[in-house]
Amino acid sequence: MSTRTIPTRLAFASKKAGVGKSTQAVLVAIALTLQGYRVGYVDGDSSSQSAFGWYEKAEAKGDPLPFAMIREPHGGIVSATHKAFEDMDLDVIIYDLQGADVPVTMAVMEDVTALIIVTTTSPFDYEHVPACQSIAIAGLAEFDRLTPQGKPSIPLLLQFSRVDGRRSTKKIEALTEQFNKRGLDVVENYLPYRQEYEDVKNHNPVTFGTDMGPVEEIVTELKEGGIIRGQES
């Protein structure tokens, strides 16, 4: 009798809108499908649901995104997610969260295997990271997912998006040190600041010709760090 593996459950969150969180989450989901992963996506960002809008418009163009997506499930986000995807034998479930939506973000902490907080190198954006981290830790505490030392029992990561590599290298190094001290591991690879990552919205990036190289590098780093399990050959 075959047994299913429990999917990796990866949450992307931000307390500040407009930092590229949904763009990055969708692109990571697509990069995973390109590597053979079966992916399910939950747009739990009630403030915009931009990912679900992207999903619907790509489908209307006859060029759908290569994974299943549900939006803002009711009746408990975790139980509704499991019910929606129960027959799909997924490898990865991605939660797309608005960190300011405290009840939803806290509820998802029952289920996730890792959390990625997305921000930019602008102080107007990264100043919201500690609040998002605190909400996540409160959710983990509610579900007894802290260590005896009071630390998160799952990885809490920080991911920079829309980075201009020519000007931001030293800033990222300084911010990495700053957020490491707060208990956040910073993902070394990032989504660069390029217009193509704005233009791709509402399209399937693969057929649209988007450069998926930087996104593949992010996925490789997450796999090498044990955040996402590698595919069996």
Side-chain angles (χ1 to χ4, degrees):
M1 183 176 66
S2 63
T3 58
R4 292 184 179 182
T5 58
I6 298 174
T8 297
R9 299 169 307 283
L10 185 62
F12 287 81
S14 64
K15 200 168 186 297
K16 171 76 163 48
V19 298
K21 177 256 303 172
S22 294
T23 301
Q24 184 139 300
V26 169
L27 291 173
V28 165
I30 291 170
L32 286 167
T33 67
L34 292 174
Q35 296 186 20
Y37 288 84
R38 298 178 296 270
V39 179
Y41 193 108
V42 183
D43 189 344
D45 186 345
S46 58
S47 67
S48 67
Q49 293 193 334
S50 60
F52 193 77
W54 183 344
Y55 185 83
E56 285 191 314
K57 289 174 183 175
E59 189 169 44
K61 295 175 189 291
D63 195 17
L65 301 182
F67 49 80
M69 184 184 292
I70 59 174
R71 67 174 171 182
E72 198 182 5
H74 299 287
I77 186 170
V78 171
S79 59
T81 295
H82 289 187
K83 184 176 181 180
F85 294 143
E86 63 182 349
D87 296 325
M88 295 188 184
D89 196 18
L90 299 176
D91 301 305
V92 180
I93 294 174
I94 289 181
Y95 287 100
D96 181 344
L97 306 172
Q98 169 65 327
D101 192 342
V102 177
V104 170
T105 300
M106 289 183 65
V108 169
M109 292 304 105
E110 176 188 9
D111 195 50
V112 296
T113 47
L115 171 71
I116 297 178
I117 300 174
V118 181
T119 190
T120 75
T121 56
S122 166
F124 296 104
D125 294 333
Y126 66 70
E127 69 179 359
H128 297 276
V129 168
C132 191
Q133 180 185 11
S134 296
I135 292 168
I137 291 173
L140 292 169
E142 185 170 318
F143 295 106
D144 296 323
R145 300 193 71 192
L146 297 180
T147 68
Q149 294 75 34
K151 302 294 184 180
S153 62
I154 65 168
L156 299 185
L157 310 175
L158 184 68
Q159 172 78 67
F160 289 106
S161 182
R162 298 177 178 171
V163 172
D164 185 339
R166 296 169 298 175
R167 296 182 296 179
S168 299
T169 302
K170 290 185 178 180
K171 178 180 279 190
I172 286 178
E173 290 176 355
L175 290 173
T176 296
E177 182 178 359
Q178 174 183 329
F179 285 111
N180 282 165
K181 291 178 180 179
R182 287 194 55 88
L184 290 169
D185 291 326
V186 178
V187 181
E188 292 183 6
N189 290 285
Y190 49 77
L191 192 67
Y193 181 80
R194 293 184 192 165
Q195 188 60 40
E196 67 178 301
Y197 296 120
E198 293 299 313
D199 295 341
V200 73
K201 291 178 181 177
N202 307 328
H203 300 273
N204 182 330
V206 178
T207 54
F208 196 66
T210 304
D211 177 14
M212 293 294 290
V215 190
E216 297 272 8
E217 290 175 357
I218 293 170
V219 169
T220 296
E221 183 177 351
L222 294 176
K223 288 169 63 177
E224 291 177 348
I227 305 300
I228 298 172
R229 289 187 294 271
Q231 290 287 75
E232 293 183 2
S233 57

